């Protein structure tokens, strides 16, 4: 008794403080841990705030603080992923509104663990009372982000699970209607339940460095609906996995059946297994595209269920039940007997709180959600896209070579062999250059015949004319003369320009002897056909006496004239 009296502080044994010295002016007064001490006359003595310093080892607070910096890394990962979705092209990010919204929801949830870093003030309103959302703006913001972000994350996990279920099990691709519905439900439902939870239950500093929902009516306003949506996601995901397993097993059974029937039906294997094989390939394609999202959904659902289970257990240990009061008195008696040394009574304190390993596991799992989002919802091509983006920003683009027209050459080509003949008529051209220029002039130029253009001497008409043959077996269809071009007709009409003088008056020859621009292939096989100076009579007739054929050429009168030639 003398030892206890020596350790009294304002009427209460150490480390307890008298409740009478701290009136209820603010904070979460329901979270006070106070018991009457019979040894000091029944005075109500309370455990100092924060309580976790006295029921956990000394290094526990340092580990809790370390999880805050892990959340900073997670927030950086989420911010980088969202910025990549907004800036980079879709071929680098493969963004989808389900991934974007889920990443943003995770960012909101992790903001709750980082907000306390901006204000390093104490978590307590006074020495025995923790802050709540009405006495601390820091508590209000961290609690709102935690509840709202948690609700948003669970809702978008459910919507993503539902989308995958529709694609695999019902072969339905979610369209615009699903997009609008998911946007409305994914953000409105969290806002509604956040408002209900804050107005009915409230948040306060209970565990860690951020505020959590209070135990009073917390199950009805927050944990119950949240776990219901999480359970719906788990059921939907289980049905989807069950369908995938069923399709795989059915394909194996049908393959076995067709193998047994193959001796009687030669084509049974190709006929009976096509439907199962197609279904299996379709499921494999969808799973191959969505496996990252599936893993994100599983991780978040595990975190949410684990987090809810731990906090519901924590709420159970803080309720004023006979069992909890008896355990609390045993621990307090031990602390008083050890003169306030908590380390000697940690085994008894373990029955009052969540185990240390479990509490740290919850905090670290929640902190890693942002990192998992970057790993699973992103891909390595994002870094390639950022590299290309910065390279294009700091690298001067090269000027493009401009192609002006058909006969224009690029600046980088020193050879002038494709220029027009008129621009280089004073230069010496090669044979290939002349042929290209002649073809280009025949096809493109609508100008009249000029002396600068290449000509060919015609021995029958004793003049130099542009060689323009109209038969298709000489020139391809793309090089044929146009009917409206000045080169489609010769400078004279061969059937009307050859005149004869009979009795001093010119008359048009009734029987046109030949046309120097047309070849008649039937002239060598008999018939009354004309002679053409452009055909090789030796090669086509293979006759030894080709001179007899040549003698069939018509004889012009000595006074024949050719009209319309260029001088």
């Amino acid at each position: 008794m003398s030892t206890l009296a020596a350790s009294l502080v304002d009427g209460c044994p150490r480390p307890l403080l008298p409740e009478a010295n701290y009136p209820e002016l603010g904070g979460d007064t329901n979270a006070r841990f106070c018991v009457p001490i019979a040894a000091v006359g029944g005075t109500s003595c309370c455990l100092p705030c924060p309580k976790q310093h006295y029921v956990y080892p000394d290094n526990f607070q340092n580990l809790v603080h370390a999880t805050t910096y892990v959340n900073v890394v997670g927030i950086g990962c989420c911010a980088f992923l969202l910025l990549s979705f907004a800036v980079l092209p879709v071929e680098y990010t493969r963004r989808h509104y389900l991934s974007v919204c889920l990443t943003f929801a995770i960012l909101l949830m992790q903001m709750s663990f980082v907000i306390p870093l901006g204000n390093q003030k104490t978590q307590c309103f006074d020495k025995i009372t923790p802050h709540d959302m009405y006495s601390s703006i820091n508590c209000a913001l961290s609690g709102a982000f935690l509840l709202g972000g948690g609700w948003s994350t669970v809702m978008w996990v459910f919507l993503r699970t539902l989308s995958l279920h529709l694609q695999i099990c019902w072969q339905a691709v979610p369209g615009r209607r699903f997009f609008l519905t998911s946007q409305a439900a994914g953000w409105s439902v969290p806002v509604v339940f956040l408002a209900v939870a804050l107005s009915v239950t409230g948040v306060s500093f209970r565990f860690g460095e951020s505020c959590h929902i209070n135990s009073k009516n917390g199950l009805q306003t927050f944990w119950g609906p949240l776990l219901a949506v999480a359970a719906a996601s788990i059921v939907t995901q289980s049905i989807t996995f069950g369908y995938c397993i069923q399709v795989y097993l059915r394909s194996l059974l049908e393959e076995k059946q067709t193998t047994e029937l193959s001796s009687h039906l030669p084509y049974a294997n190709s006929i009976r297994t096509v439907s199962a094989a197609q279904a299996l390939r379709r499921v494999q394609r969808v799973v191959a595209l969505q496996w990252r999202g599936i893993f994100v959904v599983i991780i978040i659902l595990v975190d949410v269920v684990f987090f809810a289970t731990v906090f519901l257990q924590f709420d159970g240990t803080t309720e004023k039940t006979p069992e909890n009061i008896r355990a609390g008195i045993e621990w307090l008696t031990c602390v008083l007997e050890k003169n306030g040394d908590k380390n000697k009574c940690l085994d008894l304190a373990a029955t009052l709180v969540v185990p240390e390993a479990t509490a740290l596991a919850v905090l670290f799992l929640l902190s890693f959600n942002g990192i998992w989002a970057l790993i699973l919802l992103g891909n390595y091509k994002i870094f390639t896209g950022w590299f290309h983006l910065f390279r294009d920003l700091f690298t001067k683009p090269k000027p493009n070579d401009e192609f002006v027209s058909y006969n224009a050459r690029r600046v980088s080509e020193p050879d002038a062999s494709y220029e027009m003949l008129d621009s280089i008529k004073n230069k010496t051209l090669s044979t290939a250059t002349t042929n290209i220029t002649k073809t280009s002039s025949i096809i493109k130029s609508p100008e009249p015949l000029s002396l600068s253009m290449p000509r060919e001497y015609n021995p029958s008409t004793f003049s130099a004319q542009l060689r323009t043959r109209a038969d298709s077996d000489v020139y391809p269809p793309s090089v044929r003369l146009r009917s409206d071009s000045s080169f489609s007709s010769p400078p004279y009409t061969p059937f009307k320009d050859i005149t004869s003088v009979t009795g001093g008056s010119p008359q048009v020859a009734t029987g046109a002897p030949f046309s120097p621009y047309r070849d008649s292939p039937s002239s060598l096989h008999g018939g009354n056909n004309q002679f053409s100076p452009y055909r090789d009579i030796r090669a086509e007739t293979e006759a030894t006496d080709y001179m007899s054929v040549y003698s069939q050429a018509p004889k012009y009168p000595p006074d024949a004239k050719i009209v319309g030639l260029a001088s």
Side-chain angles (χ1 to χ4, degrees):
M1 186 70 180
S2 59
T3 305
L4 182 61
S7 62
L8 292 178
V9 178
D10 295 333
C12 290
R14 292 179 179 180
L16 303 181
L17 298 175
E19 184 179 9
N21 294 347
Y22 305 96
E24 297 181 357
L25 300 178
D28 186 14
T29 57
N30 294 325
R32 291 178 175 180
F33 188 81
C34 302
V35 292
I37 304 297
V40 292
T43 303
S44 179
C45 299
C46 303
L47 192 68
C49 177
K51 295 178 293 184
Q52 60 189 8
H53 288 176
Y54 296 91
V55 293
Y56 287 109
D58 294 333
N59 62 343
F60 178 79
Q61 188 62 28
N62 296 330
L63 295 175
V64 171
H65 192 67
T67 61
T68 305
Y69 294 101
V70 178
N71 276 281
V72 173
V73 177
I75 288 177
C77 293
C78 291
F80 172 76
L81 190 58
L82 291 175
L83 186 62
S84 302
F85 287 155
V87 174
L88 299 181
V90 67
E91 57 266 18
Y92 292 111
T93 59
R94 298 177 183 175
R95 61 178 177 265
H96 192 269
Y97 67 93
L98 292 175
S99 299
V100 174
C101 295
L102 180 58
T103 304
F104 187 72
I106 295 174
L107 177 65
L108 293 179
M109 182 176 62
Q110 294 205 286
M111 285 291 295
S112 63
F113 299 98
V114 180
I115 288 177
L117 290 177
N119 186 3
Q120 296 294 335
K121 293 182 180 180
T122 180
Q123 303 177 9
C124 302
F125 179 79
D126 53 36
K127 291 185 178 180
I128 62 172
T129 309
H131 274 299
D132 61 3
M133 63 181 185
Y134 301 105
S135 61
S136 173
I137 186 64
N138 189 11
C139 179
L141 289 177
S142 62
F145 273 104
L146 179 60
L147 301 186
W151 255 113
S152 300
T153 303
V154 172
M155 279 300 302
W156 283 106
V157 163
F158 170 73
L159 293 172
R160 192 179 184 93
T161 304
L162 181 61
S163 175
L164 183 66
H165 176 77
L166 293 176
Q167 294 180 57
I168 292 181
C169 298
W170 302 97
Q171 303 182 23
V173 179
R176 181 175 178 80
R177 183 178 300 178
F178 184 85
F179 167 75
L180 296 176
T181 304
S182 61
Q183 291 295 329
W187 301 117
S188 61
V189 173
V191 169
V192 171
F193 280 98
L194 173 63
V196 171
L198 291 179
S199 60
V200 176
T201 304
V203 293
S204 63
F205 283 104
R206 304 181 61 212
F207 182 79
E209 295 185 345
S210 59
C211 282
H212 303 280
I213 192 167
N214 295 325
S215 59
K216 183 180 179 181
N217 298 324
L219 182 62
Q220 293 80 4
T221 60
F222 182 75
W223 295 115
L226 186 71
L227 290 177
V229 177
S233 302
I234 295 174
V235 171
T236 306
Q237 192 83 339
S238 301
I239 293 175
T240 304
F241 285 163
Y243 176 79
C244 295
I245 296 173
Q246 184 261 345
V247 169
Y248 177 72
L249 295 178
R250 187 179 62 184
S251 64
L252 293 180
L253 292 177
E254 290 188 1
E255 183 178 359
K256 181 179 180 180
Q257 292 176 358
T258 54
T259 303
E260 295 176 354
L261 295 174
S262 59
S263 58
H264 305 284
L265 298 175
Y267 301 100
N269 189 26
S270 61
I271 295 176
R272 295 180 58 86
T273 61
V274 61
S275 60
Q278 288 178 348
L280 183 60
R281 286 194 298 268
R282 178 177 55 81
V283 171
Q284 288 175 344
R285 286 195 300 268
V286 176
V287 173
L289 293 174
Q290 300 288 342
W291 69 270
R292 297 174 180 268
I294 293 173
F295 272 100
V296 169
V297 167
I298 294 175
I299 291 173
I300 293 178
L301 288 178
V302 170
D303 289 349
V304 169
V305 173
F306 189 35
F307 185 75
T309 303
V310 170
F311 265 85
L312 289 177
Q313 180 183 357
F314 180 73
D315 291 341
T317 58
T318 57
E319 291 181 359
K320 293 182 179 180
T321 61
E323 293 80 5
N324 292 337
I325 294 176
R326 183 171 56 253
I329 292 176
E330 291 178 0
W331 169 79
L332 186 59
T333 302
C334 177
V335 172
L336 296 178
E337 290 177 355
K338 303 300 181 181
N339 198 16
D341 189 358
K342 65 172 184 178
N343 295 322
K344 296 180 180 180
C345 303
L346 291 178
D347 53 343
L348 296 176
T351 60
L352 300 175
V353 294
V354 177
E356 178 186 1
T358 304
L360 291 176
V362 170
L363 295 178
F364 274 105
L365 285 176
L366 292 176
S367 303
F368 273 99
N369 283 333
I371 301 175
W372 286 120
L374 177 61
I375 295 175
L376 296 177
L377 296 181
N379 56 82
Y380 68 93
K381 291 185 178 179
I382 291 180
F383 301 98
T384 304
W386 281 107
F387 172 76
H388 291 167
L389 178 63
F390 285 108
R391 183 191 62 184
D392 296 340
L393 288 177
F394 296 102
T395 303
K396 185 178 180 181
K398 296 181 180 180
N400 295 327
D401 295 340
E402 182 180 4
F403 189 76
V404 181
S405 62
Y406 171 79
N407 62 323
R409 64 184 178 90
R410 296 182 181 271
V411 179
S412 60
E413 296 177 356
D415 189 10
S417 60
Y418 291 97
E419 292 182 349
M420 293 297 290
L421 178 63
D422 292 339
S423 62
I424 57 171
K425 59 185 177 181
N426 294 328
K427 299 181 180 180
T428 302
L429 299 177
S430 61
T431 304
T433 305
T434 306
N435 294 336
I436 295 174
T437 306
K438 288 163 60 178
T439 306
S440 303
S441 302
I442 293 172
I443 298 175
K444 298 296 181 181
S445 175
E447 299 177 356
L449 190 65
S450 61
L451 294 177
S452 62
M453 301 183 66
R455 294 169 176 268
E456 184 174 338
Y457 181 75
N458 189 346
S460 299
T461 59
F462 306 100
S463 62
Q465 294 295 328
L466 183 65
R467 185 176 182 179
T468 57
R469 299 176 60 177
D471 41 351
S472 59
D473 59 341
V474 178
Y475 290 99
S478 60
V479 194
R480 287 190 180 184
L481 300 178
R482 299 181 299 175
S483 60
D484 57 346
S485 174
S486 60
F487 297 102
S488 62
S489 60
Y492 67 93
T493 306
F495 296 102
K496 295 186 179 180
D497 291 339
I498 303 176
T499 59
S500 62
V501 180
T502 306
S505 60
Q507 294 181 357
V508 180
T510 58
F514 74 102
S515 173
Y517 298 100
R518 307 249 343 148
D519 295 335
S520 178
S522 62
S523 61
L524 302 177
H525 305 284
N528 189 12
N529 295 306
Q530 288 79 18
F531 167 79
S532 174
Y534 297 105
R535 300 187 69 86
D536 190 356
I537 301 174
R538 299 182 185 181
E540 295 186 6
T541 61
E542 298 180 358
T544 56
D545 54 344
Y546 64 91
M547 293 300 297
S548 61
V549 180
Y550 182 80
S551 63
Q552 297 178 5
K555 304 298 182 180
Y556 295 102
D559 54 352
K561 296 181 180 181
I562 299 177
V563 183
L565 294 177
S567 57

